[in-house]
Amino acid sequence: MNPESADAELAEPYLRGLLASAGLDVEYVRGEGNTLYRLDAQGQETPVLDYAGGYGSLIFGHNNPEIVARARELLDGSVPVHAQFSSHPYANRLAAELNRIVHRELGVDEPYYATFANSGAEAIEAAVKHAELDRVLRLSETLAELAAGVEEARAAVGDGSATVPDAVYAHLATERPAGDPLAPVIDEITRRNGERAAKAPVFLALEGGFHGKLMGSVQLTHNEAYRAPFAALGVRARFVPRGRPEALDEVLAQERGVLLGLAVEGGEVRVVEREHPVFCAFLLEPIQGEGGIQPLSDADARIIQEFADATDCPLILDEIQSGLGRTGTLLASSQMGLRGDYYTLAKSLGGGLAKASVMLVRQTRYRAQFELVHSSTFAKDAFSCHIALKVLEMLERDGGQAYRQASERGAALQATLEKVRTAFPDVVKEVRGRGLMLGFEFHDQSQAEHPAIREAAGGGLFGYVIAGHLLHGHSIRTFPTASAVNTLRFEPSVLLTDEEIGRLEEALTDVCVILREQAGERLVLSS
């Protein structure tokens, strides 16, 4: 064995090199609260204030003592992690508690059935698969209903109780035959229905949205760099711009189609139409995470809800990053008046320890057979379910104190970010978000005077270079959002203190001074 092989980078070496170019390739050895620890050159722990928060996975911070104690209790008790294909009462309790909170926030009592998974992207895949199963079954039911109507019309014409008027042939652009009057009619209906039913389902998603990088979910993510290499493998998605209500009308006009059948009324056969369920689902984040921390406006939320209701297009609300109390409620979308047919939750559901996610589907959409065609080796296990129950218990405790804390701490953090923006309007473009999910966007620096700043911006690394400076110059950790690299993300836990907010204000002020003065040589990317 080559003794040097131990030092070779075999775990995603290109990514490691990319991190190194911005000074972000550091190893963290411990975490607690909003703090991660790395070792300095002397091997001593150096605290780093973590504002990335596991991309929104740490509503109660790193290694929360109460959650860790519950995890130890479970492991010390030899809780079975692998007990597949058996009764899982703890999973049912978790689903019931999620339902209780969802019902309270939405003001409804319709059950939502739970399918558990291991990550956010897997929950999205489960929702998409279920939505397509539901669409296919609805399509089959509609076609069967229409076929039955055709047979009834055939029988009525055969026994002389009904005739075929010229309007039927005109409707289908066929001619009356010399023989069986329904033969060309049925042939044309069969042909048209076959063509329409064979059309691929259409998925709708918002421009700027991010729903994962798995084979299906990546095609629902707007960033073309993620989608394009795998386009031949994925589903067909149409991306809808925010703030353009007419865009949905355009999509409907282009995609809408009907299925045809026959009915007998007043002794005459007539052509009937049924809507073809072409839309599989509309996926959206109430607050786009990787798209730059972009909250959905109330106007857009209302338009999307109205479109979904009018077209019977299921809404999949991706609450993977925005949910679990981060904006002051379990569901950020509940503050916007949205009612999802599906919800996906993950990240903080695992309390920072377990890898857990869930897809919730409302009873009126639920298809029982989905449970037989979709499964997971690791999902719905006792450990992750009990940890998730502990997270919900902590969120709901003391009348929802954690929700109020997220709102209050988020407001304090946002006020500080706005203070910096106001002081540097030439540097900072906008502060966005809700609660403890905030974005801080810089103006474009691709034409900056200083070459280091200009080259970083031109190469798509601006946000990462700024993050490197915050890390090495101020011991603060954050990252830009994946598809909007001029926007830094701030997603700390509810444990955020005024002192920690003050440290961030000082650090961002330093960054803004460097950018205003075009003093790129002062950027610190190592320590």
Side-chain angles (χ1 to χ4, degrees), residues 110-115 126-142 277 312 314 341-342 359-374:
E110 181 182 359
Y112 278 82
Y113 294 98
T115 295
V128 167
K129 283 178 63 180
H130 189 287
E132 176 59 4
L133 175 64
D134 177 50
R135 189 194 73 87
V136 167
L137 293 176
R138 284 187 287 127
L139 174 59
S140 297
E141 291 159 4
T142 300
D312 196 29
D341 297 282
Y342 298 83
M359 178 272 282
L360 301 174
V361 53
R362 65 191 294 184
Q363 185 178 49
T364 49
R365 295 283 185 188
Y366 170 69
R367 298 286 185 168
Q369 52 267 62
F370 182 73
E371 298 174 21
L372 302 179
V373 297
H374 181 87

Side-chain angles (χ1 to χ4, degrees), residues 331-410:
L331 304 172
S333 55
S334 68
Q335 303 173 33
M336 303 171 181
L338 286 168
R339 168 79 188 276
D341 297 282
Y342 298 83
Y343 291 95
T344 56
L345 294 163
K347 294 191 183 291
S348 284
L349 187 66
L353 297 180
K355 295 177 174 64
S357 65
V358 66
M359 178 272 282
L360 301 174
V361 53
R362 65 191 294 184
Q363 185 178 49
T364 49
R365 295 283 185 188
Y366 170 69
R367 298 286 185 168
Q369 52 267 62
F370 182 73
E371 298 174 21
L372 302 179
V373 297
H374 181 87
S375 61
S376 168
T377 297
F378 292 96
K380 203 170 66 171
D381 66 284
F383 180 79
S384 64
C385 286
H386 281 297
I387 293 297
L389 280 165
K390 171 57 69 173
V391 170
L392 295 184
E393 175 195 326
M394 293 169 67
L395 284 171
E396 292 285 301
R397 184 181 297 158
D398 298 327
Q401 173 61 24
Y403 299 121
R404 295 190 294 274
Q405 202 170 349
S407 295
E408 186 276 325
R409 291 287 77 196

Side-chain angles (χ1 to χ4, degrees), residues 5 23 40 73 146 164 194 213 235 308 330 361 380 410 477:
S5 64
D40 62 18
E73 179 184 17
L146 292 172
V164 184
K213 295 179 182 176
V235 299
L330 183 81
V361 53
K380 203 170 66 171
R477 167 182 157 92

Side-chain angles (χ1 to χ4, degrees), residues 493-515:
S493 77
V494 295
L495 306 176
L496 185 68
T497 66
D498 289 340
E499 186 272 334
E500 290 170 336
I501 294 175
R503 284 179 56 191
L504 180 63
E505 179 183 1
E506 179 182 344
L508 289 176
T509 298
D510 173 49
V511 167
C512 289
V513 169
I514 289 173
L515 294 176

Side-chain angles (χ1 to χ4, degrees), residues 192-204:
R192 292 192 189 186
N193 284 353
E195 289 182 357
R196 170 54 59 176
K199 285 186 176 294
V202 177
F203 293 84
L204 301 178

